[in-house]
Amino acid sequence: MPLRKIATIGHPVLRQVARALSVEEISSYETQTLIDDMIETMRDANGAGIAANQVYAPVQICVICIENNPRYPYKPNFPLTVLVNPLVEALTIETFRNFEGCLSVPNLRGEVERFTHVRVRAVDRNGGPLDFEVKGLTAGTFQHELDHLNGKLFVDRVTDTTTLCTWVEFERHFQAAFVDRAKALVAKFGQ
Ligand code: ZN
């Protein structure tokens, strides 16, 4: 399966609101191939998730999979999940400060507020309904991917710009404190 090129910040496709897919479109060869390629591309780049507009296809598909992720070693594992036409709804007003990165924003991280508990509704790649809740760091990952489908990047949500940093400086200056917070979240929410 071929890898797709990943769009980087500044390309207009990342600012497009992705288009919903019809049932017929979901089952098409083109969409199924796109999903396979997104999974492959995400894994190759060690991403925790990827949205279709990150590979130049502005349609409502995102993929999430966390398996002992080397980019985000503190993230709990989450099985491969393909979301088509997803909706994410906050189930709380409680938020946490997540330190995010993005395959489309190379070598930059920053702190973003995310809800600690969300409900996810979507259809899967076979058109079957999905409806589940996620919490903690995992909820942050889902909110990040949904933002992509709405043309938003994590940098738009960074309110304290002094937290913006390269990956090297993250490790030097922010990682220890963030990993402590991340561990506390995982202990509280199990995710
Ligand atoms: Zn991203």
Side-chain angles (χ1 to χ4, degrees):
M1 275 171 270
L3 298 176
R4 303 250 178 155
K5 194 178 170 210
I6 298 174
T8 51
I9 183 168
H11 195 287
V13 74
L14 295 171
R15 297 310 191 170
Q16 254 177 277
V17 176
R19 178 177 70 77
L21 291 170
S22 67
V23 176
E24 294 73 33
E25 283 177 304
I26 295 167
S27 60
S28 71
Y29 175 79
E30 190 188 355
T31 301
Q32 293 297 317
T33 303
L34 171 62
I35 292 169
D36 287 338
D37 292 354
M38 285 171 62
I39 294 168
E40 206 66 20
T41 304
M42 170 187 67
R43 288 188 164 149
D44 181 71
N46 290 322
I50 198 165
N53 45 359
Q54 289 185 275
V55 294
Y56 299 88
V59 292
Q60 293 266 340
I61 302 172
C62 63
V63 173
I64 286 169
C65 182
I66 302 158
E67 283 169 352
N68 309 318
N69 189 295
R71 268 166 69 89
Y72 308 103
Y74 46 82
K75 282 196 189 203
N77 287 345
F78 194 85
L80 175 65
T81 304
V82 176
L83 303 177
V84 183
N85 301 338
L87 287 171
V88 165
E89 176 195 356
L91 295 178
T92 175
I93 55 164
E94 185 193 0
T95 61
F96 69 101
R97 286 180 292 134
N98 202 20
F99 231 111
E100 300 195 1
C102 180
L103 297 177
S104 292
V105 186
N107 202 22
L108 196 66
R109 300 188 68 153
E111 224 173 61
V112 178
E113 291 280 332
R114 296 296 188 187
F115 293 109
T116 58
H117 185 186
V118 298
R119 178 181 180 185
V120 180
R121 276 170 288 184
V123 293
D124 65 20
R125 65 183 299 170
N126 303 311
L130 292 172
D131 188 343
F132 55 91
E133 295 175 18
V134 279
K135 293 181 177 178
L137 292 176
T138 306
T141 304
F142 278 81
Q143 289 165 82
H144 177 110
E145 296 310 325
L146 260 288
D147 271 356
H148 275 301
L149 298 179
N150 289 312
K152 264 189 173 299
L153 296 171
F154 82 87
V155 290
D156 306 342
R157 295 194 185 275
V158 174
T159 50
D160 180 357
T161 52
T162 67
T163 65
L164 287 168
C165 58
T166 63
W167 283 65
V168 166
E169 300 301 345
F170 173 77
E171 283 175 20
R172 286 180 183 151
H173 303 291
F174 296 94
Q175 182 166 267
F178 178 64
V179 169
D180 283 349
R181 270 159 43 206
K183 281 181 183 162
L185 273 171
V186 174
K188 182 173 177 186
F189 295 111
Q191 284 187 309

